[in-house]
Amino acid sequence: MIKEVICDRCNKMCVLSIDKYDDNIEIYGNKCDEGISFANMEMNNNKSLFTTVVRIKGAKNNVVSVKSSKPLDKKIWIECSKALGRLYVGAPIKAGDIICKNILNTGADIICTKNIERIS
């Protein structure tokens, strides 16, 4: 099974090809050693911080970026997106404000990552 991921450990943003067969893992495309540790973590861990956007009313922008307060299982990311797709947030809002508490009973909150001012 070959999986492709973008490594975000350094500013090179390498596209890694991870080939897993039996108990062996082969990694291609890394430009530094950080890519190897990132690929191993990616194959052994099905959790990561969930990031997306939520619609906002009363602001110059139509959406605001958000992230989960803790890593979420990647299997529920689509369900999280569906739940947040029905949500509108009112401006003003500040980075760190909680948009959604305990999303899908995971214990994780969805947090705003940007300050948005209300338009007059």
Side-chain angles (χ1 to χ4, degrees), residues 48-57 61-72 77 80-90 92-101 103 108-116:
S48 187
L49 282 180
F50 174 69
T51 59
T52 189
V53 293
V54 173
R55 291 180 284 193
I56 190 164
K57 288 185 176 181
N61 302 340
N62 293 332
V63 294
V64 63
S65 57
V66 295
K67 68 176 184 174
S68 60
S69 60
K70 66 180 189 177
L72 295 177
W77 282 13
C80 289
S81 294
K82 287 178 182 177
L84 294 173
R86 295 183 224 120
L87 189 67
Y88 280 90
V89 178
I93 193 163
K94 294 185 178 135
D97 286 353
I98 295 175
I99 303 296
C100 179
K101 278 190 164 285
I103 188 161
D109 298 332
I110 301 299
I111 301 170
C112 179
T113 62
K114 187 176 179 183
N115 293 330
I116 301 289

Side-chain angles (χ1 to χ4, degrees), residues 1-2 18-26 43-44:
M1 171 185 87
I2 296 178
I18 307 167
D19 189 5
K20 183 174 183 178
Y21 55 94
D22 298 328
D23 291 333
N24 298 323
I25 297 176
E26 290 186 16
M43 290 304 291
N44 296 324

Side-chain angles (χ1 to χ4, degrees), residues 36-48:
I36 295 170
S37 65
F38 178 81
N40 285 320
M41 182 197 73
E42 188 70 24
M43 290 304 291
N44 296 324
N45 187 1
N46 281 338
K47 291 186 175 186
S48 187

